[in-house]
Amino acid sequence: MTHVSERNSAGSNGAEGGDRRPWTAGAGRGGARKRAVTYAEAGVSIEAGDRAVELLKSKVKKTTRPEVMGDLGGFSGLFRLNTAKYKSPILASSTDGVGTKLVIAQQLDIHDTIGIDLVAMVVDDLVACGAEPLFLLDYIACGEVVPDKVAEIGAGIADGCRYAGCALLGGETAEHPGVLRPDEYDVSATGVGVVEESEILGRERVEVGDAVIAMRSSGLHSNGYSLVRHVLLGAGRMRLDSVVDDFGSQRTLGEELLTPTKIYAKDCLGLIEETEVRAFSHVTGGGIPGNLVRVLPEHVDAVVDRSTWRPQPIFDLIQAKGRIEDHEMEATFNMGVGMFAVVSSDDADRAMAYLTGRGVEAWQVGEIIDGTGEVQMMGQYTRG
């Protein structure tokens, strides 16, 4: 994060109604001298923001790459792209947030993992086209800058960048008194990556006979939380500190809901080096059918066999508590798969072995067949 500023403040245009004459230098002179109002009294603390940045510096430094120029504190982040590595380098970009998973973090007052979710949502979109994530810029808006809390959020972002191999190049922390409550905040980020033009992955490469490889998610990741909160915390009247036996190890509902999103960037980049990858599909909002269809040309279908895996217990709990139809679950949640790789059928075993060696649970979930650009969900999930 480069610096802290205020972007919105209640009453910044003066009191409602009343005199709205334009301000001029020296206006009001000659009348009764009024006490000067400070920025802090309007709800913005520059000192707190500076303190938050200081707390983060050591974490951010751990994300640096050789291409990063300068240090925190400038008006922009500088990154020297090594064009000699590429014949025709193409920059890829992605921007995202975390959604209402933030509400759970704020209710539990746990803020050191939400940044990992943020990075995952950005970099795993970048790598889907084969791009190596280079750097990320973050944005944190909060009702009140509490240095330790901002540092926790930023530390999670820095951790996520390290896991993805990209630099946290800079960002912004903005204080919005009167717009957000003191304990509220929102986060977003934009990432930039690079890929050789001739190596861009996508639907143009997908062929009949290719294998579809699934990579297990760490849980809900960062999608569908408005439905989750409605079903479990609203109508279901569950508590975040409730221990759910099916989660194991005395794990609470809150702990499960805050499980950080899996970052697949390095796994996917390595898989490209080891096998003939045609496409990746990052499973986010829209679920498995809504995301896998994005990498299918019009003349093929993807067959996905549900019986090849068991979704985590959190999905069963949500569906049972909310009496949610199967199609609604699959259109909202990842159902235990965070990323798909479409690879040459000859490389299917090699792909699974490589991912397993990196600690990623992976299995062949289906194949590409002749069709009309649709995802065919077959069979039933493994239960019990």
Side-chain angles (χ1 to χ4, degrees):
M1 273 148 279
T2 52
H3 63 285
V4 179
S5 70
E6 181 246 14
R7 285 288 180 266
N8 276 299
S9 181
S12 61
N13 291 323
E16 291 188 9
D19 189 0
R20 291 181 179 271
R21 291 174 295 176
W23 179 90
T24 59
R29 290 179 182 171
R33 184 177 182 85
K34 296 182 179 179
R35 183 177 64 85
V37 177
T38 66
Y39 208 9
E41 288 177 314
V44 179
S45 172
I46 299 298
E47 291 78 11
D50 291 342
R51 173 61 178 157
V53 173
E54 285 299 319
L55 291 173
L56 274 172
K57 280 188 174 180
S58 62
K59 276 281 189 178
V60 174
K61 186 171 291 187
K62 293 179 181 178
T63 75
T64 193
R65 292 172 51 119
E67 305 95 329
V68 174
M69 301 171 63
D71 202 352
L72 290 179
F75 286 101
S76 61
L78 302 177
F79 191 96
R80 180 186 288 110
L81 180 62
N82 183 6
T83 55
K85 291 175 57 177
Y86 308 91
K87 293 180 180 178
S88 181
I90 302 297
L91 294 180
S93 63
S94 177
T95 190
D96 212 336
V98 176
T100 59
K101 187 172 186 175
L102 285 170
V103 176
I104 306 298
Q106 290 163 16
Q107 289 176 338
L108 291 174
D109 196 26
I110 297 174
H111 313 286
D112 59 349
T113 60
I114 209 73
I116 299 174
D117 295 294
L118 179 63
V119 176
M121 298 302 285
V122 173
V123 299
D124 287 340
D125 275 356
L126 285 176
V127 81
C129 72
E132 175 191 1
L134 296 176
F135 61 83
L136 183 135
L137 302 167
D138 65 17
Y139 181 83
I140 303 173
C142 49
E144 178 183 350
V145 171
V146 179
D148 289 340
K149 181 188 292 187
V150 173
E152 286 183 46
I153 300 168
I157 297 172
D159 286 341
C161 287
R162 286 194 298 105
Y163 303 154
C166 66
L168 180 53
L169 195 58
E172 175 81 0
T173 300
E175 197 163 27
H176 290 187
V179 176
L180 297 171
R181 294 195 309 267
D183 61 335
E184 285 184 325
Y185 62 87
D186 197 4
V187 296
S188 65
T190 296
V192 173
V194 64
V195 60
E196 184 69 64
E197 184 173 12
S198 62
E199 298 175 5
I200 295 174
L201 304 181
R203 65 180 66 189
E204 295 81 7
R205 293 176 176 259
V206 176
E207 301 176 0
V208 172
D210 286 344
V212 181
I213 306 298
M215 302 179 215
R216 182 167 287 278
S217 68
S218 56
L220 290 170
H221 284 185
S222 299
N223 297 103
Y225 273 76
S226 293
L227 180 57
V228 169
R229 292 185 300 110
H230 173 73
V231 167
L232 300 184
L233 306 181
R237 299 184 181 278
M238 294 185 69
R239 293 168 50 94
L240 291 174
D241 60 0
S242 300
V243 174
V244 180
D245 291 338
D246 288 345
F247 296 162
S249 302
Q250 292 295 300
R251 190 169 172 83
T252 67
L253 177 61
E255 289 172 327
E256 179 66 28
L257 295 183
L258 279 189
T259 301
T261 303
K262 169 69 175 172
I263 294 177
Y264 301 95
K266 286 186 176 181
D267 305 313
C268 291
L269 291 173
L271 191 63
I272 292 171
E273 296 294 323
E274 294 290 327
T275 67
E276 183 64 33
V277 177
R278 316 288 201 196
F280 289 116
S281 175
H282 184 202
V283 184
T284 55
I288 291 173
N291 286 283
L292 190 53
V293 74
R294 297 165 68 179
V295 300
L296 299 180
E298 293 182 355
H299 66 281
V300 308
D301 283 359
V303 177
V304 174
D305 184 357
R306 299 183 184 94
S307 69
T308 59
W309 84 95
R310 179 187 178 187
Q312 292 93 329
I314 183 63
F315 298 104
D316 292 334
L317 178 64
I318 293 167
Q319 185 164 20
K321 285 285 188 180
R323 292 177 290 183
I324 302 172
E325 299 288 342
D326 290 344
H327 68 85
E328 183 69 17
M329 290 291 295
E330 289 183 337
T332 306
F333 303 108
N334 66 56
M335 301 304 294
V337 178
M339 181 76 78
F340 286 105
V342 181
V343 305
S344 164
S345 59
D346 293 338
D347 280 344
D349 290 340
R350 183 177 179 84
M352 289 183 288
Y354 173 79
L355 291 169
T356 300
R358 288 188 57 86
V360 179
E361 185 178 349
W363 65 97
Q364 183 166 348
V365 74
E367 62 179 340
I368 302 298
I369 64 171
D370 286 312
T372 58
E374 298 181 355
V375 177
Q376 299 182 26
M377 303 292 293
M378 312 292 288
Q380 300 297 321
Y381 294 113
T382 303
R383 306 288 184 183

